[in-house]
């Protein structure tokens, strides 16, 4: 066999081996691709199923929070013509700062809730799904409705209260330092007597003004209390909610009476030591913060 013939045989063998190796590599690549496609399909299927479970969980959480708020609304809003969620919102927002605070949001959430609950394609398929942020927001609002802001949280505290035989000059010092205008007054037996206001103090000073001097060095508080004049004051315990206080002010208003102060005591006892005082101005300040 000539050298030329031997070279041709070697070239043919090398080409054959190269072709076989290429086919083997191609088969291996096809098998890898097939396995990768299978894994991708499994991952996609798992992800889809997992996403569906999450959707159902979020819808369930949203509905649970919505129902908690609905229950709280029923307890808060009395005398409404309907127990429907939106009707309670519009019946109660005038008298409850808590409802006013969330009225717009809750109205929108009510629309989403109707789509989720009443317009299902079937028992397991919702045409609308709440975002996680929406669900978390609903749960926050539900917590506040179930445990609303307390009256003490906006009350003037500590309370400066005095006995009838205390001196006017001491009250004036407090007014000058803290700008308070209402002071519960008690008798020697620790019983509530009256509410001293800045109005009585100014009127007394005007009546006793002489030669640019007001002689109040030894004036006692009982001298300032106007006989026959009794401001409307009511008492609540330390656990009273803010919306309960609002109801009290509204109740007096509808009767043509002005509630000057709500005094908070530990148990709500009229003659208990005051731990907080709420005036109409306190409610206005609370609304402006909201």
């Amino acid at each position: 066999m000539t050298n030329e013939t031997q070279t041709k045989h070697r070239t043919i063998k090398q080409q054959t081996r190269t072709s076989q190796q290429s086919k083997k590599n191609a088969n291996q690549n096809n098998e890898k691709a097939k396995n990768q496609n299978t894994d991708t399909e499994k991952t996609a299927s798992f992800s889809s199923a997992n996403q569906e479970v999450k959707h159902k969980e979020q819808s369930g959480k949203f509905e649970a929070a919505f129902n908690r708020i609905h229950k709280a609304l029923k307890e808060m809003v009395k005398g409404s013509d309907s127990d429907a969620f939106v009707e309670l919102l519009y019946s109660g927002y005038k008298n409850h700062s808590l409802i006013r605070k969330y009225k717009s949001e809750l109205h929108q959430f009510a629309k989403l809730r109707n789509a989720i609950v009443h317009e299902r394609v079937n028992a397991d398929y919702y045409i609308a799904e709440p975002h996680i942020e929406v669900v978390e927001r609903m749960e926050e609002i539900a917590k506040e409705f179930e445990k609303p802001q307390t009256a003490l949280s906006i009350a003037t505290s500590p309370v400066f209260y005095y006995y009838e035989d205390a001196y006017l000059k001491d009250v004036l010092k407090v007014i000058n330092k803290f700008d308070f205008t209402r002071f519960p007054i008690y008798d020697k037996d620790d019983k509530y007597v009256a509410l001293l206001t800045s109005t009585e103090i100014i009127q007394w000073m005007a009546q006793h003004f002489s030669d640019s001097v007001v002689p109040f060095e030894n004036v006692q508080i009982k001298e300032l209390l106007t006989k026959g004049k009794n401001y409307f004051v009511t008492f609540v315990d330390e656990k009273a909610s803010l919306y309960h206080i609002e109801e009290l002010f509204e109740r007096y208003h509808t009767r043509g009476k002005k509630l000057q102060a709500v005094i908070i005591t530990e148990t709500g006892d009229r003659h208990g030591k005051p731990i907080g005082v709420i005036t109409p101005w306190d409610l206005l300040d609370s609304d402006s913060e909201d």
Side-chain angles (χ1 to χ4, degrees):
M1 182 179 295
T2 64
N3 290 335
E4 184 178 351
T5 302
Q6 290 177 345
T7 300
K8 288 182 178 179
H9 279 295
R10 282 197 298 270
T11 301
I12 292 171
K13 287 181 180 179
Q14 289 174 350
Q15 290 175 343
T16 301
R17 284 197 296 270
T18 300
S19 177
Q20 290 174 344
Q21 184 63 41
S22 297
K23 288 181 180 179
K24 183 177 180 181
N25 290 340
N27 289 336
Q28 289 176 344
N29 289 335
N30 289 336
E31 188 65 27
K32 286 181 180 179
K34 187 185 295 184
N35 291 336
Q36 287 175 349
N37 289 336
T38 301
D39 291 341
T40 301
E41 290 174 359
K42 288 181 179 179
T43 301
S45 176
F46 176 79
S47 177
S48 178
N50 191 41
Q51 190 69 17
E52 185 178 351
V53 170
K54 286 183 178 180
H55 281 173
K56 291 179 181 179
E57 288 178 352
Q58 295 306 318
S59 295
K61 289 180 179 179
F62 177 90
E63 188 173 356
F66 185 93
N67 290 338
R68 287 161 57 194
I69 295 172
H70 196 179
K71 180 181 178 182
L73 282 173
K74 291 178 182 178
E75 295 174 354
M76 289 173 65
V77 182
K78 306 298 182 183
S80 176
D81 294 333
S82 171
D83 279 345
F85 189 90
V86 174
E87 292 296 328
L88 291 172
L89 282 181
Y90 280 86
S91 296
Y93 85 97
K94 291 182 180 179
N95 299 329
H96 301 287
S97 64
L98 184 58
I99 297 177
R100 288 196 296 274
K101 182 178 180 180
Y102 296 112
K103 175 176 165 286
S104 296
E105 280 185 279
L106 291 178
H107 196 175
Q108 294 303 315
F109 291 154
K111 294 178 182 179
L112 176 57
R113 189 259 183 184
N114 289 338
I116 291 174
V117 175
H118 299 305
E119 299 181 26
R120 296 179 186 175
V121 175
N122 56 54
D124 296 321
Y125 182 78
Y126 300 95
I127 68 169
E129 295 291 347
H131 291 293
I132 293 177
E133 293 81 1
V134 171
V135 175
E136 291 175 347
R137 180 61 172 165
M138 281 292 287
E139 290 177 334
E140 287 177 5
I141 296 174
K143 288 179 181 178
E144 189 165 351
F145 268 82
E146 290 173 336
K147 192 175 181 180
Q149 187 178 0
T150 64
L152 267 177
S153 66
I154 70 160
T156 298
S157 181
V159 181
F160 287 91
Y161 63 94
Y162 296 90
Y163 291 95
E164 291 176 298
D165 57 0
Y167 291 99
L168 173 59
K169 61 182 180 181
D170 296 324
V171 179
L172 293 176
K173 290 177 183 178
V174 171
I175 292 176
N176 182 52
K177 186 174 182 179
F178 297 100
D179 202 28
F180 292 168
T181 60
R182 289 168 173 80
F183 304 91
I185 307 301
Y186 293 78
D187 64 17
K188 61 182 181 180
D189 296 320
D190 288 325
K191 291 184 178 181
Y192 173 80
V193 174
L195 186 71
L196 176 66
T197 72
S198 56
T199 300
E200 273 77 41
I201 297 175
I202 293 173
Q203 288 176 344
W204 185 90
M205 286 183 171
Q207 292 169 2
H208 293 78
F209 178 81
S210 177
D211 297 327
S212 302
V213 176
V214 179
F216 56 78
E217 182 66 25
N218 297 314
V219 176
Q220 293 181 308
I221 289 176
K222 59 185 175 182
E223 298 178 43
L224 279 70
L225 299 180
T226 305
K227 293 183 179 180
K229 185 172 184 178
N230 190 15
Y231 288 115
F232 293 109
V233 174
T234 191
F235 293 77
V236 298
D237 64 59
E238 62 183 349
K239 295 181 181 179
S241 67
L242 178 56
Y243 74 76
H244 175 58
I245 302 302
E246 292 173 333
E247 288 177 347
L248 290 174
F249 277 97
E250 179 64 21
R251 194 179 305 163
Y252 274 81
H253 177 71
T254 55
R255 295 173 183 172
K257 301 176 181 178
K258 184 177 180 180
L259 183 60
Q260 287 287 342
V262 174
I263 299 176
I264 304 172
T265 64
E266 185 176 352
T267 62
D269 179 12
R270 179 178 179 84
H271 302 305
K273 294 296 175 65
I275 56 178
V277 173
I278 297 177
T279 70
W281 288 107
D282 294 318
L283 291 181
L284 290 175
D285 290 342
S286 175
D287 282 345
S288 64
E289 290 174 3
D290 293 339

